[in-house]
Amino acid sequence: VKISVQDSVKCFGDNNGSLIVYAQGGVPYKIGKPYKYSWKKQNASGMYEELTVEKDSVAGLTAGWYALNITDSIGVTLRADSVFYLSQPDALAIRIQKTDVLCYGASTGAISAVVTGGLKPYTLKWSNDSTTADLNSLKAGVYILTATDRHGCTIQHSVSIEQHDSL
């Protein structure tokens, strides 16, 4: 018995993963599916709960531990509680360092962004249309960064560059 990831969970917290099982042996059913499949998912308290799927694949899954029982036509369990962990990428996060404008009306502000989580590569897009992680020569104002990972997962972060009042 082999359990494989058909589709991993694309973005942190999503429910778009799927698993598929390849089974052989025992005495397969002659009509319909060759085996009976019983899928379970581990809940937050560590107990396994039955899923309503009774086929060789299951979709619409969140990350976590899954168990599978496979029974043949004469009631023999080919594999009892085969367990598999369906992973997901870490949550996208943006870490910011900023430098405020030194003098009123000047363009001396700067922002440096580091994106973590998700799956590289990342695409960056600032509200001023820049696509780099570092912005320099900024005037006071609000700058919004949208980061997108390889799977299309996105996160936004707003940064306010401040300046002193005019004299």
Side-chain angles (χ1 to χ4, degrees):
V1 173
K2 178 182 173 191
I3 302 174
S4 298
V5 175
Q6 194 166 16
D7 290 304
S8 62
V9 176
K10 302 291 186 233
C11 301
F12 182 83
D14 279 356
N15 63 341
N16 54 9
S18 61
L19 298 172
I20 188 166
V21 64
Y22 302 96
Q24 60 185 12
V27 181
Y29 287 90
K30 294 184 187 317
I31 299 173
K33 296 172 273 191
Y35 305 101
K36 285 189 179 178
Y37 303 94
S38 173
W39 293 90
K40 299 180 244 177
K41 182 178 191 310
Q42 189 177 44
N43 63 23
S45 63
M47 302 298 293
Y48 280 90
E49 297 175 346
E50 292 281 336
L51 300 178
T52 57
V53 176
E54 295 180 355
K55 56 185 182 175
D56 62 352
S57 64
V58 59
L61 304 177
T62 58
W65 286 100
Y66 291 85
L68 172 66
N69 288 326
I70 302 170
T71 308
D72 72 4
S73 66
I74 58 172
V76 174
T77 299
L78 302 178
R79 191 66 187 224
D81 286 337
S82 297
V83 294
F84 189 87
Y85 186 77
L86 182 61
S87 63
Q88 68 182 342
D90 291 334
L92 280 171
I94 299 174
R95 191 172 59 249
I96 295 289
Q97 286 188 316
K98 72 171 189 155
T99 303
D100 288 327
V101 171
L102 296 174
C103 299
Y104 182 82
S107 296
T108 57
I111 304 172
S112 179
V114 176
V115 179
T116 58
L119 292 172
K120 295 178 182 178
Y122 307 116
T123 302
L124 305 179
K125 174 93 172 179
W126 289 93
S127 54
N128 67 352
D129 290 330
S130 179
T131 57
T132 63
D134 299 323
L135 299 181
N136 296 298
S137 304
L138 298 175
K139 291 187 174 282
V142 175
Y143 297 84
I144 300 169
L145 172 62
T146 301
T148 306
D149 77 353
R150 183 174 72 200
H151 282 156
C153 310
T154 61
I155 186 172
Q156 282 193 333
H157 193 85
S158 176
V159 182
S160 182
I161 297 295
E162 307 292 332
Q163 68 181 351
H164 297 286
D165 292 336
S166 65
L167 298 177

